[in-house]
Amino acid sequence: MSGPRPLVLSGPSGAGKSTLMKRLMKEHEGVFGFSVSHTTRSPRPGEENGKDYHFTTREAMEEGISRGDFIENAEFSGNLYGTSKAAIEDVLAKNLICILDVDIQGVKRIKDTDLNPIYISIQPPSMEILEKRLRDRQTETEESLQKRLDAARIDMELSKEPGVFDIVIINDDLERAYEELKDVLTEEINKVREAQ
Ligand SMILES: Nc1ncnc2c1ncn2[C@@H]1O[C@H](COP(=O)(O)OP(=O)(O)OP(=O)(O)O)[C@@H](O)[C@H]1O
Ligand SMILES: Nc1nc2c(ncn2[C@@H]2O[C@H](COP(=O)(O)O)[C@@H](O)[C@H]2O)c(=O)[nH]1
């Protein structure tokens, strides 16, 4: 049997990717595995090294990129982010649905690989609501918030291009967005459960 297809979750910072993903993983224990990315940004309160991200320095990450350790990497809001080959292999080896949370640059780079994931974009209902969610989250300085909003405008345009995403979910009502996400993944979830 071929393994379950990975899932690429993308969309503007603050759209609700982590919120939806954490619920999906909690409600489907032993079905999903998170591909832990590397980043040069500082940890937020509550974030754990090796669980939320591998927090690293730019120098170490650039060395890893030159060695070919990453399947993709991107500069986002003044920091480097990347998906290592090891992060994905760890999850695939367990026959779980591998979830990658990456920005739109990552989506484009993953399309050049043989990963064959399901591409899902999580979009906010509007820029105004996105800005409010990001401000209320209280994780950003004014400067990084503005960079994230600039990146969000680009993301919202690109996500409308035909063929980039298999599905675009508007995360207005959390319950409805979650149901939509779960429905798209039913076949892959069943594949994992049947194999257990
Ligand atoms: N449907 C929703 N309605 C209201 N608030 C929401 C909704 N979905 C998420 N949020 C809130 O919006 C904020 C941003 O959500 P979250 O951190 O999940 O976004 P994200 O897309 O993972 O962002 P990033 O890419 O920066 O990690 C959080 O405080 C979350 O609780
Ligand atoms: N191209 C990649 N993008 C990534 C990766 N890991 C996270 N991200 C994206 O970065 C922004 C900001 O994340 P935050 O945790 O600092 O809020 C967000 O859009 C993520 O999807 C990665 O490995 N590659």
Side-chain angles (χ1 to χ4, degrees):
M1 189 198 88
S2 64
R5 285 176 74 190
L7 162 64
V8 165
L9 267 191
S10 194
S13 169
K17 301 178 296 294
S18 313
T19 306
L20 288 163
M21 182 186 77
K22 282 179 184 159
R23 178 152 172 202
L24 199 58
M25 294 185 80
K26 193 170 170 204
E27 290 189 10
H28 299 82
E29 222 173 291
V31 171
F32 294 93
F34 181 50
S35 160
V36 181
S37 292
H38 283 61
T39 183
T40 62
R41 83 152 163 78
S42 305
R44 294 176 185 145
E47 283 185 331
E48 279 178 48
N49 191 30
K51 182 169 173 250
D52 299 286
Y53 278 107
H54 297 290
F55 295 100
T56 184
T57 60
R58 184 169 285 268
E59 192 187 12
M61 203 161 156
E62 282 171 349
E63 271 173 30
I65 294 166
S66 319
R67 272 197 308 270
D69 294 351
F70 290 83
I71 68 153
E72 65 80 29
N73 62 271
E75 184 88 30
F76 181 91
S77 183
N79 284 295
L80 261 180
Y81 293 78
T83 306
S84 69
K85 291 175 183 166
I88 293 184
E89 280 158 13
D90 277 357
V91 179
L92 296 185
K94 295 177 195 145
N95 229 10
L96 302 177
I97 300 173
C98 180
I99 306 184
L100 294 86
D101 176 345
V102 298
D103 80 329
I104 193 81
Q105 305 169 80
V107 168
K108 297 205 160 171
R109 286 173 190 152
I110 290 167
K111 287 196 180 232
D112 294 332
T113 71
D114 58 4
L115 196 64
N116 188 31
I118 300 171
Y119 292 94
I120 300 183
S121 174
I122 306 296
Q123 290 289 323
S126 66
M127 275 304 290
E128 291 70 28
I129 291 176
L130 181 72
E131 180 168 349
K132 182 173 182 332
R133 285 184 191 166
L134 272 178
R135 286 192 186 280
D136 289 351
R137 195 172 71 179
Q138 297 187 327
T139 52
E140 308 309 318
T141 61
E142 188 58 32
E143 190 192 356
S144 74
L145 187 121
Q146 292 305 330
K147 284 186 184 163
R148 281 165 190 257
L149 293 177
D150 288 344
R153 286 184 194 95
I154 297 169
D155 185 300
M156 287 163 87
E157 279 311 306
L158 291 178
S159 70
K160 291 182 200 151
E161 275 181 20
V164 179
F165 290 99
D166 295 303
I167 177 170
V168 176
I169 297 176
I170 310 292
N171 179 20
D172 42 10
D173 177 71
L174 189 62
E175 290 306 313
R176 196 207 39 78
Y178 179 67
E179 288 304 315
E180 210 176 321
L181 177 62
K182 215 169 51 171
D183 283 355
V184 181
L185 298 170
T186 303
E187 195 179 322
E188 300 309 312
I189 293 171
N190 289 342
K191 256 194 214 174
V192 176
R193 291 225 162 109
E194 280 159 18
Q196 286 174 341

